[in-house]
Amino acid sequence: MLFLNYQADKFLTLTTLLLLFLLNSTVFAQSETDSISTYSQIRSNNNGDGQPDLFGKKVITTGIANSPSGVFHEQYLQMFIQDDSSGISIFSYNIDDPIVPGDSLVVWGAVDSYNGLVEVEADSYRVYQNRSVPRPINLTDLISNPADYLGVLAKGDGVITEKGSTYNGKYVIISPDESPDSIMVYVSNFHVSFSEFNFDILSVGDEIAVQGVITEYNPEFPGQKNYKLFLRTPQDLSYIGLPAYYKNLIFWSIIGLIIIALIWYLILRYRVESKTKEIRFSLQQKELLLKEIHHRVKNSLSIVSGLLEIQSSSAENEETIRMLQNSQTRIQSIALIHDKLYKTESLSDIDLDVYIKDLVESVHRTFTELNDSVSLFFDLDPVQIDSSRVIYCGLLINELVVNSFKHAFNGNSDGKLSVTLKKNKNHTVLTVSDNGPGLPHNFNPNHEHGLGSMLINSFAENLNAEIKISEPEEGGASFSFTFPDL
């Protein structure tokens, strides 16, 4: 059925052209010949001299335009007409009527040859609007023998195998899929849209789709056969996939961004490290200064403690001596804190277990008359406490231990003082107990008005500690304090 339609279209076209020829017989009578010349007759070169046999002769030819006028040349008429299997180039210095693909033409003029391209230099032509654009032939069907399809519209896909330019144009050579042959895809610099054909982004290996006119044109060596596909418009060339140009552009753009990001990262890192060094140096200076302050406070408190010891040794009133010794131990407990802060790497936290042991032993040494008769027992879990709370904790322990030495022991008894520190999940328990005679009858720490009791309650309140006082079965007194997380 397709074959019958094709034959019918061919018959209709030829019949239309023949009728047009008969209707314009008056015009044709002016020519040197009264018959229509075929494209093969116009191109024939029987004597082999490189020029067509009808060179310079007047001819009449007809066909359907497969390219528009005013495209292949900026000033003159250059275009191609074709029948079902072949075509011819038409040239004129004047463009009388505009021509679009699909128009039927009757042309009369002289046979000419330009850079290997046989053409008809038209004296005049007549355009009949038909708008039946010739169907392109696939490149794979004609690439092995393009001489049989000169002037015919063709299309197809191919891989670029070469790219270059001549003095009057630019080109790429493509090889269609599964074909050993290749053909040049060409744009002349006379083309009205020459600058719009962006061959710069094409690279060898790119796959492109093309559509154009098969022609024989060799401006550098007119005597040699050289077949090309003339592109008509920039739309006749399109890319299949992403051209290597864009791939390389994307690749190098990514590399460039990575390099810029790396440089920016190194700059930022250098700035951060420089600033960090400045901050670290400043922090070290402040730590040294703070340690020096703790050391001087500790020394100052030691001097005060020493003055109180001298004062107590010269006092005659027992009550005065007792008050001075109490103040001395309190000052020593605070001085010991500053000594710990001076010696530790962290200026904010203190190992409470170590501090308690040192503090209790220090108080023990203060009561020289009881050194041999009182034994110390420790059961301490590792616990850290911040410096803002350790002072209250130290003063609390100091009061408890001092009270034990004052009221629970005498030189004739075998005294035992136990201090435990237990760390649980959500709280810490501190217990100070002795084996003395126990607490007075109806003892209530909340109702006691002595300085020691008031201080113990005050320190416990600052530490948010719950107080529990008990008397163990073996005798003595036990004070337990439950703190929230230290």
Side-chain angles (χ1 to χ4, degrees), residues 14-228:
L14 294 176
T15 302
T16 301
L17 294 176
L18 181 59
L19 290 173
L20 293 174
F21 170 70
L22 294 175
L23 289 172
N24 292 277
S25 59
T26 303
V27 179
F28 298 154
Q30 298 174 2
S31 177
E32 294 180 4
T33 180
D34 57 357
S35 63
I36 296 177
S37 299
T38 65
Y39 306 144
S40 59
Q41 290 173 340
I42 295 172
R43 284 198 188 88
S44 64
N45 180 20
N46 295 321
N47 57 15
D49 61 355
Q51 293 286 2
D53 296 335
L54 296 179
F55 184 79
K57 302 293 184 179
K58 298 291 184 178
V59 294
I60 301 172
T61 190
T62 62
I64 300 175
N66 58 25
S67 54
S69 58
V71 170
F72 288 116
H73 202 288
E74 296 176 321
Q75 299 176 351
Y76 308 131
L77 172 67
Q78 184 177 4
M79 55 166 296
F80 294 86
I81 60 174
Q82 71 170 82
D83 57 19
D84 299 305
S85 60
S86 186
I88 198 75
S89 172
I90 305 298
F91 178 82
S92 177
Y93 289 100
N94 299 307
I95 302 177
D96 298 328
D97 296 320
I99 303 168
V100 298
D103 284 345
S104 298
L105 271 75
V106 179
V107 182
W108 58 95
V111 177
D112 196 4
S113 178
Y114 179 72
N115 290 335
L117 176 65
V118 177
E119 60 186 10
V120 175
E121 185 176 325
D123 296 325
S124 60
Y125 59 88
R126 190 68 58 85
V127 179
Y128 299 93
Q129 294 184 355
N130 182 27
R131 301 295 189 271
S132 179
V133 181
R135 183 177 298 176
I137 299 174
N138 197 297
L139 277 177
T140 56
D141 297 333
L142 62 82
I143 195 167
S144 60
N145 192 17
D148 293 342
Y149 299 92
L150 292 175
V152 171
L153 189 63
K155 72 173 183 178
D157 304 339
V159 178
I160 297 176
T161 59
E162 185 180 336
K163 172 185 171 182
S165 62
T166 63
Y167 73 93
N168 67 341
K170 52 190 175 183
Y171 69 90
V172 293
I173 295 177
I174 65 171
S175 178
D177 294 340
E178 300 179 358
S179 174
D181 301 307
S182 60
I183 192 167
M184 180 180 290
V185 179
Y186 183 83
V187 179
S188 169
N189 56 9
F190 292 114
H191 198 291
V192 67
S193 302
F194 179 77
S195 60
E196 298 179 25
F197 289 90
N198 190 4
F199 279 28
D200 292 336
I201 66 173
L202 298 177
S203 305
V204 173
D206 286 345
E207 188 175 2
I208 59 174
V210 294
Q211 182 169 273
V213 181
I214 301 295
T215 184
E216 181 183 4
Y217 178 70
N218 194 344
E220 296 174 325
F221 302 99
Q224 297 180 6
K225 298 290 184 181
N226 196 325
Y227 301 102
K228 296 179 173 65

Side-chain angles (χ1 to χ4, degrees), residues 357-429:
K357 187 174 186 297
D358 291 345
L359 176 59
V360 173
E361 289 177 347
S362 176
V363 174
H364 187 200
R365 287 192 296 271
T366 302
F367 290 87
T368 55
E369 71 279 7
L370 300 175
N371 281 347
D372 296 333
S373 60
V374 176
S375 301
L376 303 178
F377 297 91
F378 298 99
D379 184 8
L380 307 173
D381 289 346
V383 176
Q384 281 198 330
I385 185 172
D386 61 87
S387 58
S388 62
R389 302 175 68 186
V390 72
I391 291 178
Y392 297 110
C393 191
L395 291 172
L396 174 63
I397 295 170
N398 181 80
E399 293 300 321
L400 293 170
V401 173
V402 168
N403 283 343
S404 293
F405 275 101
K406 284 182 179 180
H407 303 294
F409 308 126
N410 57 63
N412 299 323
S413 62
D414 185 14
K416 293 181 181 180
L417 179 68
S418 298
V419 181
T420 63
L421 182 69
K422 292 299 177 182
K423 175 71 174 176
N424 297 319
K425 290 183 178 180
N426 300 320
H427 59 275
T428 302
V429 180

Side-chain angles (χ1 to χ4, degrees), residues 138-313:
N138 197 297
L139 277 177
T140 56
D141 297 333
L142 62 82
I143 195 167
S144 60
N145 192 17
D148 293 342
Y149 299 92
L150 292 175
V152 171
L153 189 63
K155 72 173 183 178
D157 304 339
V159 178
I160 297 176
T161 59
E162 185 180 336
K163 172 185 171 182
S165 62
T166 63
Y167 73 93
N168 67 341
K170 52 190 175 183
Y171 69 90
V172 293
I173 295 177
I174 65 171
S175 178
D177 294 340
E178 300 179 358
S179 174
D181 301 307
S182 60
I183 192 167
M184 180 180 290
V185 179
Y186 183 83
V187 179
S188 169
N189 56 9
F190 292 114
H191 198 291
V192 67
S193 302
F194 179 77
S195 60
E196 298 179 25
F197 289 90
N198 190 4
F199 279 28
D200 292 336
I201 66 173
L202 298 177
S203 305
V204 173
D206 286 345
E207 188 175 2
I208 59 174
V210 294
Q211 182 169 273
V213 181
I214 301 295
T215 184
E216 181 183 4
Y217 178 70
N218 194 344
E220 296 174 325
F221 302 99
Q224 297 180 6
K225 298 290 184 181
N226 196 325
Y227 301 102
K228 296 179 173 65
L229 185 142
F230 272 18
L231 297 175
R232 300 169 301 171
T233 66
Q235 289 71 35
D236 281 344
L237 186 149
S238 59
Y239 316 112
I240 300 175
L242 192 65
Y245 175 86
Y246 290 121
K247 292 179 182 178
N248 291 333
L249 184 62
I250 293 172
F251 174 78
W252 289 112
S253 297
I254 293 174
I255 294 298
L257 290 174
I258 292 174
I259 292 174
I260 292 173
L262 181 60
I263 293 174
W264 183 245
Y265 165 76
L266 293 175
I267 292 174
L268 287 178
R269 181 176 177 179
Y270 173 76
R271 291 179 178 178
V272 170
E273 288 181 350
S274 299
K275 197 67 178 178
T276 303
K277 288 180 180 178
E278 293 178 5
I279 295 173
R280 187 179 292 115
F281 178 76
S282 177
L283 183 60
Q284 289 174 349
Q285 295 296 317
K286 291 179 180 178
E287 287 179 350
L288 290 174
L289 178 61
L290 191 55
K291 284 190 174 185
E292 182 64 22
I293 290 173
H294 284 304
H295 182 61
R296 294 193 179 191
V297 170
K298 177 254 183 184
N299 289 341
S300 298
L301 291 174
S302 297
I303 292 173
V304 174
S305 176
L307 291 174
L308 290 175
E309 184 176 0
I310 294 172
Q311 188 70 36
S312 64
S313 63

